[in-house]
Amino acid sequence: MPGAGIRAAITSADVTAALPPISVAAAYRLRLKRRRCLWRAFRARHHLQKVADHTARIRPEDILVVVVLRNEVARLPWFLRHYRALGAGHFLIVDNGSDDGSLALLQREAQAGDISLWTCADSYRDSRFGLDWSGWLLMHYGHRHWCLTVDVDELLVYPGMAEHDLPQLTARLDARGQAGFGALMLDLFAKGALGSQAQVPGQDPTEVLGWFDPAPYRATRQAPQGNLWLQGGTRDRVFFGDAPEHAPTLNKLPLMRWHWRYAYTNSTHALLPRALNALYDGPGGDAPSGVLLHTKFLPDVLATSARERQRRQHFHDPELFQPYYDHLASAPDLWHPQALRYQGPEQLATLGLCTALDWAAPGAAGA
């Protein structure tokens, strides 16, 4: 495995664990921004309609999975299976107007008692792309819990997960005094024209999307918030070669020991208070981290993208992404000779795409 060569292709600039200082005025503006985010989340509670409420069953030690979704019936069965197997304690889910059977599926699954479910018909874009809704759930239910905020097309993996589940991972992070766990969002894809593959309902998506780009990735820190800005990989290579500055942001801080004063400001790419962004230093960094396997490119992607293009709910400036949708609609083959077949999180750690915890260190859970 060409690990050393691949590591060399992961470049960074000004990516350090300690964030550089900012002015008093900039710090004050960030404080106001955080307060606005919290106020929006608090107001958003009035827009969530309760469908199944099992939150009374949440235990103090439960890890909460927070999700906002729309039309994910193809991914939901494996998504729930994946996180239940990892030891998630409770799911807090907002369905934003699904019409593909997702809501009915979730209502059935909620009978197990580990899912609380709300619906909301409001604009996803106007809710800060769902952050107002998930923000309220985090504020109200997530305080002092470890909370994993993910999309249904994101499956968290990390080195050692076969022996150490999420409760053991978070216990180890607690022992280290580490309040969060970052991850690279890694696009998975298949060989052949996009959308031409077969998928059995409930199937592990990595059986359909077996390949990924090991490199190149590039990272820097953004001022003033200090959040990492990580780009590269498949969508950068295929869809944004002529405009790499518009390529998707791949860094996330999805798993956090939550406090009600925290606020996500751009999906889970960035957080306030500002110092929390130092918890993830990207591929090849020193901080323990994982990978979010991104299963966007399952066979339904062409139909889904066509609908989302018409809804115009997923980008601040949808016009900038019309060429992306045009290219996507042409059903390109994302595979190329430098792609690697996905073999598991230990492979990703060897490639420098995530950093393993020292499970044998004193205080390691399950060691």
Side-chain angles (χ1 to χ4, degrees):
M1 185 175 296
I6 291 169
R7 279 179 179 271
I10 302 172
T11 60
S12 63
D14 192 30
V15 177
T16 60
L19 302 185
I22 57 174
S23 69
V24 173
Y28 180 72
R29 287 193 292 271
L30 289 179
R31 185 178 182 183
L32 290 180
K33 180 175 183 177
R34 177 166 59 91
R35 288 183 172 182
R36 285 194 297 270
C37 291
L38 293 174
W39 176 241
R40 288 179 61 113
F42 183 71
R43 289 189 305 173
R45 73 194 192 281
H46 298 300
H47 299 266
L48 300 180
Q49 305 301 314
K50 199 174 295 182
V51 176
D53 184 2
H54 299 295
T55 54
R57 300 188 184 188
I58 296 175
R59 301 167 297 176
E61 69 274 16
D62 277 345
I63 296 168
L64 309 183
V65 180
V66 181
V67 189
V68 174
L69 65 87
R70 176 184 167 86
N71 288 347
E72 292 287 8
V73 71
R75 291 174 178 81
L76 271 169
W78 188 265
F79 174 87
L80 295 172
R81 179 177 174 181
H82 176 81
Y83 286 112
R84 281 169 169 162
L86 272 181
H90 204 89
F91 295 82
L92 304 171
I93 301 178
V94 178
D95 183 283
N96 183 214
S98 292
D99 57 12
D100 69 340
S102 292
L103 183 59
L105 185 155
L106 287 168
Q107 288 176 289
R108 292 193 301 271
E109 291 287 340
Q111 295 173 15
D114 64 344
I115 293 177
S116 294
L117 176 63
W118 294 261
T119 60
C120 186
D122 293 352
S123 165
Y124 179 73
R125 185 180 178 190
D126 291 347
S127 70
R128 292 194 306 129
F129 306 99
L131 286 182
D132 292 341
W133 308 328
S134 61
W136 166 245
L137 299 180
L138 288 164
M139 180 189 297
H140 190 58
Y141 301 106
H143 182 59
R144 300 193 186 282
H145 284 271
W146 279 96
C147 296
L148 180 64
T149 304
V150 287
D151 294 332
V152 179
D153 61 6
E154 296 173 344
L155 302 174
L156 179 67
V157 298
Y158 50 88
M161 63 182 285
E163 299 82 24
H164 304 279
D165 60 12
L166 280 173
Q168 291 174 315
L169 171 64
T170 54
R172 181 66 193 125
L173 294 172
D174 280 334
R176 290 170 50 93
Q178 184 171 329
F181 189 71
L184 161 71
M185 186 166 63
L186 184 69
D187 290 313
L188 299 181
F189 51 87
K191 260 188 177 183
L194 199 61
S196 65
Q197 295 74 29
Q199 180 192 11
V200 177
Q203 183 180 8
D204 179 351
T206 66
E207 296 175 356
V208 182
L209 309 174
W211 300 85
F212 68 95
D213 277 332
Y217 296 93
R218 59 190 182 276
T220 188
R221 291 235 177 242
Q222 291 187 305
Q225 197 164 321
N227 54 294
L228 198 66
W229 189 25
L230 174 62
Q231 295 175 290
T234 306
R235 282 175 291 169
D236 184 297
R237 168 177 59 85
V238 177
F239 301 106
F240 295 93
D242 295 332
E245 68 277 10
H246 296 312
T249 305
L250 304 179
N251 54 284
K252 293 209 167 186
L253 271 165
L255 181 60
M256 295 292 303
R257 170 70 84 171
W258 200 255
H259 191 285
W260 72 266
R261 291 188 176 94
Y262 295 171
Y264 284 118
T265 59
N266 176 20
S267 180
T268 58
H269 304 307
L271 266 167
L272 289 173
R274 177 177 182 264
L276 297 173
N277 294 295
L279 290 168
Y280 181 46
D281 51 3
D286 295 328
S289 63
V291 168
L292 288 169
L293 302 179
H294 191 213
T295 66
K296 178 181 180 67
F297 296 117
L298 284 174
D300 66 349
V301 64
L302 298 181
T304 299
S305 297
R307 289 194 298 269
E308 295 306 329
R309 181 178 190 170
Q310 294 299 316
R311 292 182 68 238
R312 299 169 64 86
Q313 291 288 299
H314 279 271
F315 301 105
H316 288 289
D317 186 353
E319 294 301 326
L320 288 176
F321 291 89
Q322 294 310 311
Y324 162 73
Y325 281 121
D326 289 341
H327 195 172
L328 194 63
S330 71
D333 185 351
L334 305 183
W335 188 88
H336 65 135
Q338 286 71 49
L340 294 183
R341 184 177 288 277
Y342 175 65
Q343 298 173 4
E346 277 67 30
Q347 171 201 31
L348 303 180
T350 300
L351 296 170
L353 298 179
C354 59
T355 301
L357 267 167
D358 183 1
W359 295 103

